[in-house]
Amino acid sequence: MNTSDFYYDLPQELIAQDPLEDRSSSRLMHLNRTTGEVQHGVFTDILEELREGDTLVINDTKVIPARLFGKKADTGASVEVLLLKRGENNVWETLVRPGKKCRPGARLTFGDGLLNAEVLEVVEDGNRLIRFEYEGIFEEILDQLGEMPLPPYITHKLKDKNRYQTVYARAEGSAAAPTAGLHFTKELLEQVKAKGVNIAHVTLHVGLGTFRPVKVEDVTKHHMHTEMYIVEEDQAELINQTRKNGGRVIAVGTTSCRTLESATNENGVIHAGSRWTDIFIYPGYKFRMIDGLITNFHLPESTLVMLVSAFAGKEHVLSAYEEAVKERYRFFSFGDAMIIL
């Protein structure tokens, strides 16, 4: 299976640069995973697709303003640091640009000395371990100095940080938003509940994998970065009970999907816990838990297109994407959505 098998042609102007004024007013493509049939609507049509007894599973991770712009202390040269993974004692795994100038021992400064740092070592894929030094509360300093780590294909500046957060975000730690959830408003979620649909939450802190292109032609040779996920006991119980009662488990986004599939055993039972996952889902994968998926439209040749293709079939997905291009859907993080059932 080749990476190029998942290519599709996308005009640049269809990449959404700004979020819509009303989260739930985006378009929604309905894809039948069995027949490949597509229908078009708006996101609030999601209510018609859900049934009493179903469970929607959301990822409640919260994006931190993880992009820092600073300087090298000795030369004053500009550096950009993206926080990826928090360790102990104020040490973070980071992506640094330009990396070649930031060797171990290099001192960095941000916000006129409000935040200082030292590069400790270079790790896998050229990432840097950096130890930060500051007075006060790190999260408050980060909120003051940091910017939202928007994907590289979004060139417009984000006016409101909250538009790159879901309305249910609560567990800080992500370097990117679980973007399928951006379409939900609090009002729409209340309507979902009123219909007798359960809402379960899991947490997966989105890391470097979101930014990493597939650089190998043989899909099976691609290595996913590890990400931390958490499934709480009562949420696992709710999801398992849904299956026992004949309800459907519908993942909101690929991150919820990856969490559910990572935490579910071969017998289709999800287990609570906090673990690391590097699960890579591509065609041929046998799904253990999810019955449906709500997702955005993803980059050509990306691991996310591969995941969606594993669930609905590559031919169905690429045909649906071709239809979305023809119908001028908006693509990627701030774009339109798809429900696959």
Side-chain angles (χ1 to χ4, degrees):
M1 192 183 311
N2 294 328
T3 300
S4 54
D5 294 339
F6 298 90
Y7 178 80
Y8 67 92
D9 193 32
L10 179 69
Q12 194 78 12
E13 67 269 17
L14 295 186
I15 300 173
Q17 292 295 325
D18 302 289
L20 296 178
E21 196 68 37
D22 173 14
R23 288 175 183 262
S24 61
S25 65
S26 59
R27 295 168 76 184
L28 180 71
M29 177 182 280
H30 309 242
L31 173 60
N32 184 311
R33 63 187 288 229
T34 305
T35 66
E37 180 189 359
V38 300
Q39 295 177 315
H40 307 285
V42 293
F43 194 76
T44 48
D45 294 342
I46 216 95
L47 288 167
E48 298 168 24
E49 298 281 4
L50 301 174
R51 303 195 293 245
E52 184 178 353
D54 286 345
T55 293
L56 268 188
V57 182
I58 60 177
N59 180 8
D60 63 6
T61 189
K62 189 171 186 177
V63 187
I64 59 174
R67 179 166 273 132
L68 289 164
F69 295 93
K71 295 177 180 178
K72 284 193 71 183
D74 56 353
T75 65
S78 296
V79 292
E80 179 185 341
V81 173
L82 179 63
L83 305 178
L84 296 174
K85 202 180 290 182
R86 190 173 204 156
E88 297 179 348
N89 302 318
N90 299 320
V91 174
W92 284 77
E93 183 177 342
T94 68
L95 186 63
V96 179
R97 295 193 183 103
K100 288 181 181 177
K101 294 182 179 179
C102 291
R103 296 186 175 90
R107 301 281 306 172
L108 311 176
T109 183
F110 308 88
D112 295 324
L114 189 61
L115 183 64
N116 296 296
E118 180 182 351
V119 179
L120 300 180
E121 63 177 288
V122 180
V123 291
E124 185 184 6
D125 298 320
N127 294 347
R128 266 69 176 162
L129 292 184
I130 292 181
R131 182 173 56 233
F132 288 94
E133 303 156 8
Y134 54 90
E135 289 184 8
I137 300 171
F138 184 74
E139 287 74 15
E140 290 181 359
I141 295 170
L142 197 59
D143 198 49
Q144 185 177 336
L145 299 180
E147 293 187 9
M148 281 299 190
L150 295 179
Y153 50 77
I154 294 178
T155 58
H156 291 190
K157 195 169 177 66
L158 187 63
K159 294 175 185 174
D160 177 4
K161 282 183 182 180
N162 287 325
R163 289 314 306 273
Y164 196 56
Q165 300 280 20
T166 61
V167 296
Y168 46 76
R170 68 181 183 95
E172 291 192 338
S174 265
T179 54
L182 295 178
H183 304 282
F184 283 97
T185 61
K186 289 181 178 177
E187 293 75 18
L188 182 56
L189 287 169
E190 286 304 317
Q191 290 174 293
V192 167
K193 289 179 189 173
K195 194 168 181 178
V197 176
N198 305 303
I199 297 177
H201 65 83
V202 296
T203 305
L204 182 136
H205 293 314
V206 191
L208 186 63
T210 295
F211 299 91
R212 184 180 296 286
V214 179
K215 293 180 178 178
V216 291
E217 183 58 13
D218 181 350
V219 166
T220 63
K221 299 287 196 297
H222 178 70
H223 171 64
M224 294 285 282
H225 241 64
T226 57
E227 295 166 314
M228 168 67 75
Y229 75 82
I230 302 165
V231 179
E232 293 171 2
E233 194 72 51
D234 59 337
Q235 303 303 297
E237 191 177 322
L238 172 58
I239 294 164
N240 285 327
Q241 197 61 46
T242 299
R243 297 299 297 271
K244 285 179 186 173
N245 295 342
R248 298 175 300 175
V249 175
I250 299 167
V252 178
T254 56
T255 59
S256 296
C257 169
R258 292 179 69 241
T259 302
L260 290 168
E261 294 299 315
S262 296
T264 300
N265 68 17
E266 292 177 359
N267 299 319
V269 177
I270 190 167
H271 291 279
S274 174
R275 302 178 190 91
W276 293 94
T277 181
D278 61 356
I279 189 171
F280 181 20
I281 298 175
Y282 53 86
Y285 176 83
K286 302 298 182 192
F287 285 84
R288 300 174 175 183
M289 177 54 74
I290 73 165
D291 304 297
L293 177 65
I294 298 167
T295 187
N296 282 18
F297 293 89
H298 304 293
L299 277 75
E301 302 184 332
S302 65
T303 59
L304 303 182
V305 162
M306 293 172 193
L307 183 154
V308 174
S309 296
F311 187 62
K314 180 166 70 73
E315 290 75 19
H316 289 168
V317 168
L318 291 180
S319 175
Y321 271 53
E322 194 176 315
E323 176 83 359
V325 169
K326 181 181 160 191
E327 295 294 327
R328 311 291 291 176
Y329 273 67
R330 301 165 73 250
F331 278 68
F332 305 161
S333 295
F334 288 140
D336 296 314
M338 171 189 279
I339 183 167
I340 307 171
L341 289 169

